Amino acid sequence: MYAPLKKETNGPLLQVKELKTYFFTRNGLVKAVDDVSFEIAAGETLALVGESGCGKSMTSLSILRLVPEPGRIVDGKILFDSRNLLHMPAAELRRVRGNSISMIFQEPMTSLNPVLKIGEQIAEVLRLHRGLSNSEALMEAAELLTRVGISAASERLRDFPHQLSGGQRQRVMIAIALACDPQLLIADEPTTALDVTIQAQIMDLLAELTRDRHMATLLISHDLGVVAGNADRVAVMYAGKIVEMAPVKDLFENPVHPYTRGLLSCIPRLGNKGPLPTIDGQVENSGNSGDGCAFLERCPTPCASGGSHIPELKEVTPGHFARCWRA
């Protein structure tokens, strides 16, 4: 049966401290994640937002120590339930992945095995991590599919991924992620390539599961509309760094960093008949920004200090942090 709800715990469940993940390539050093710090409490949803290439997904892979070559975590701490995942032996870390921390990857069609039936893919997780027999695992798999909103679950167990719609495949990925009742769920662009109606259904489902199971959720997205309706706090990333972090209402009503203001100005609004504003220029290679502000060349109001030093992430109002000289 479905695992019982978790009790509330004091303090953050996940603490990422000064995390640095670098790629050592033939073309030079790329600082994909550069001095990133944040925390998430049980029952809370933190959204990590920013344009493609800013380091969102690499941050999530770093948490699970799944950084691909030639990348490497070079510094920092990742404390999960007070244990440092970066110092954890590989065998113990494998038990944490899937059991205590689960991840929903971006593309369900590429994440699911195309030659295995849906039931077998869910049952495999239950056999491996929870020690269930094959018949018990298939019964639990049907319950999980029902829980995530797939009708006729017993019949769907016999389907292959290509026989399901995009929304159904994403629900299957959520069922697999929840199979072992994780304390932390990492959802990497969970609504990519889905139409707006299905997006809303998937996000409503994640919000319900987070609330009912008191699960911490790291939501990675570039869709500010999705973030506005589903996150408790937001961290904005740019060129491998967090440039602003605040409760969702504060961030949308009073953005401080010019990059955040630029992102929010690009959201389509009813009644706006003119062209959408854009942020001039492009993201600078994370290894080439030197000692100054990475956003300097794109900033609409650059300052003299921006070229010489990287501003610190400082608290501008209670709970609202920004990495900007003009903050």
Side-chain angles (χ1 to χ4, degrees):
M1 296 296 293
Y2 231 52
L5 303 184
K6 299 181 178 62
K7 296 180 181 179
E8 290 196 28
T9 56
N10 295 322
L13 177 67
L14 176 73
Q15 294 174 286
V16 176
K17 298 184 176 182
E18 300 173 354
L19 178 65
K20 297 180 180 180
T21 301
Y22 295 171
F23 280 74
F24 300 85
T25 72
R26 294 178 180 178
N27 297 323
L29 179 68
V30 177
K31 299 178 181 179
V33 181
D34 192 16
D35 195 24
V36 164
S37 299
F38 60 84
E39 58 186 39
I40 313 176
E44 179 186 33
T45 296
L46 172 69
L48 203 55
V49 305
E51 57 197 295
S52 297
C54 71
K56 307 186 302 295
S57 293
M58 203 50 59
T59 298
S60 67
L61 293 175
S62 298
I63 293 171
L64 293 171
R65 278 170 50 187
L66 294 175
V67 178
E69 292 290 340
R72 190 164 74 244
I73 299 173
V74 300
D75 200 5
K77 294 180 180 179
I78 301 174
L79 301 178
F80 176 72
D81 202 14
S82 302
R83 297 175 295 168
N84 193 343
L85 298 181
L86 299 185
H87 295 163
M88 190 174 285
E92 186 178 353
L93 182 64
R94 283 194 294 272
R95 289 193 292 271
V96 170
R97 295 192 198 119
N99 273 327
S100 301
I101 305 176
S102 289
M103 184 167 180
I104 303 170
F105 293 91
Q106 287 191 29
E107 290 291 343
M109 196 58 195
T110 56
S111 299
L112 293 170
N113 191 324
V115 298
L116 286 182
K117 293 179 180 179
I118 295 300
E120 175 57 28
Q121 297 190 53
I122 303 175
E124 181 181 17
V125 176
L126 295 164
R127 291 195 302 266
L128 178 64
H129 289 287
R130 291 174 52 182
L132 300 185
S133 67
N134 189 57
S135 59
E136 290 172 333
L138 287 173
M139 288 179 60
E140 180 76 2
E143 288 191 28
L144 283 164
L145 289 184
T146 300
R147 182 71 180 88
V148 298
I150 293 182
S151 58
S154 298
E155 297 176 17
R156 297 285 79 77
L157 292 177
R158 297 189 290 270
D159 288 346
F160 290 94
H162 73 271
Q163 295 175 280
L164 303 181
S165 67
Q168 288 176 320
R169 289 194 293 266
Q170 194 61 285
R171 290 173 188 269
V172 170
M173 290 299 301
I174 294 172
I176 292 174
L178 296 175
C180 295
D181 190 33
Q183 295 171 272
L184 171 65
L185 177 66
I186 301 173
D188 190 358
E189 302 280 7
T191 57
T192 297
L194 301 178
D195 65 53
V196 176
T197 302
I198 302 301
Q199 280 187 16
Q201 293 174 2
I202 294 298
M203 293 312 304
D204 287 346
L205 172 62
L206 288 176
E208 177 188 348
L209 293 168
T210 299
R211 181 181 64 252
D212 292 349
R213 301 164 72 83
H214 203 63
M215 181 173 62
T217 301
L218 177 60
L219 172 63
I220 298 171
S221 181
H222 65 273
D223 189 329
L224 292 172
V226 168
V227 168
N230 296 279
D232 298 301
R233 290 186 299 122
V234 186
V236 181
M237 286 193 74
Y238 183 82
K241 293 181 179 294
I242 290 179
V243 296
E244 188 163 0
M245 183 161 52
V248 63
K249 187 173 184 289
D250 291 352
L251 187 100
F252 277 77
E253 291 184 354
N254 185 33
V256 173
H257 197 280
Y259 177 62
T260 308
R261 291 199 296 267
L263 287 179
L264 293 174
S265 70
C266 296
I267 299 175
R269 290 174 171 80
L270 289 174
N272 185 2
K273 299 180 180 179
L276 287 175
T278 59
I279 303 174
D280 293 334
Q282 58 185 8
V283 181
E284 189 171 0
N285 184 302
S286 299
N288 296 334
S289 57
D291 295 326
C293 174
F295 193 64
L296 180 65
E297 298 300 321
R298 305 178 73 187
C299 184
T301 56
C303 56
S305 302
S308 57
H309 297 89
I310 298 174
E312 295 182 0
L313 189 67
K314 60 183 179 181
E315 193 169 22
V316 292
T317 59
H320 194 149
F321 299 82
R323 189 187 298 275
C324 180
W325 293 110
R326 296 185 181 277

